[in-house]
Amino acid sequence: MNDLYHWSDREIVAHDPLVQHKSAFLNVPFFMARMIIYFVLWVFFIRKLRSISLSGDMADPSNMDGIMTLFSKSELYSKIFIFILAVTIFPLGL
């Protein structure tokens, strides 16, 4: 991890006052916790969108109100997920 993120190297942190100032945010345990939270959020939204999609596939075609309700749910979750994805991918530098 030291090769990829210079702030994870203790020797660099010891000699760089700017990195020391940011050390509450830039440290390995907090980085790993953020990655786990990001992954859990991504998996939740992917599973939720897939379940809504499968429900729409199994819905009765004559029930347009039910289909439109599923579409509205899917649209709402998609909008939220796009925002979360943008906010969580940007700090990763991907």
Side-chain angles (χ1 to χ4, degrees):
M1 194 149 155
N2 295 347
D3 295 334
L4 187 57
Y5 300 110
H6 69 277
W7 49 261
S8 64
D9 188 357
R10 293 187 188 274
E11 290 181 25
I12 292 175
V13 173
H15 300 311
D16 189 347
L18 183 60
V19 176
Q20 287 175 0
H21 179 70
K22 297 178 181 181
S23 66
F25 184 73
L26 295 177
N27 59 59
V28 176
F30 190 60
F31 178 80
M32 291 300 177
R34 281 193 320 255
M35 294 305 105
I36 291 169
I37 290 168
Y38 294 169
F39 185 72
V40 168
L41 279 171
W42 294 347
V43 168
F44 168 77
F45 277 97
I46 289 168
R47 290 178 61 107
K48 187 67 176 175
L49 286 168
R50 185 169 187 275
S51 72
I52 293 170
S53 177
L54 291 174
S55 297
D57 290 344
M58 299 298 170
D60 180 21
S62 63
N63 182 8
M64 288 305 291
D65 290 336
I67 292 173
M68 290 309 294
T69 301
L70 290 171
F71 174 76
S72 297
K73 279 184 179 181
S74 176
E75 187 178 27
L76 174 67
Y77 279 105
S78 295
K79 289 176 182 176
I80 295 169
F81 185 48
I82 288 171
F83 176 76
I84 288 174
L85 197 61
V87 168
T88 57
I89 283 182
F90 177 71
L92 296 178
L94 299 177

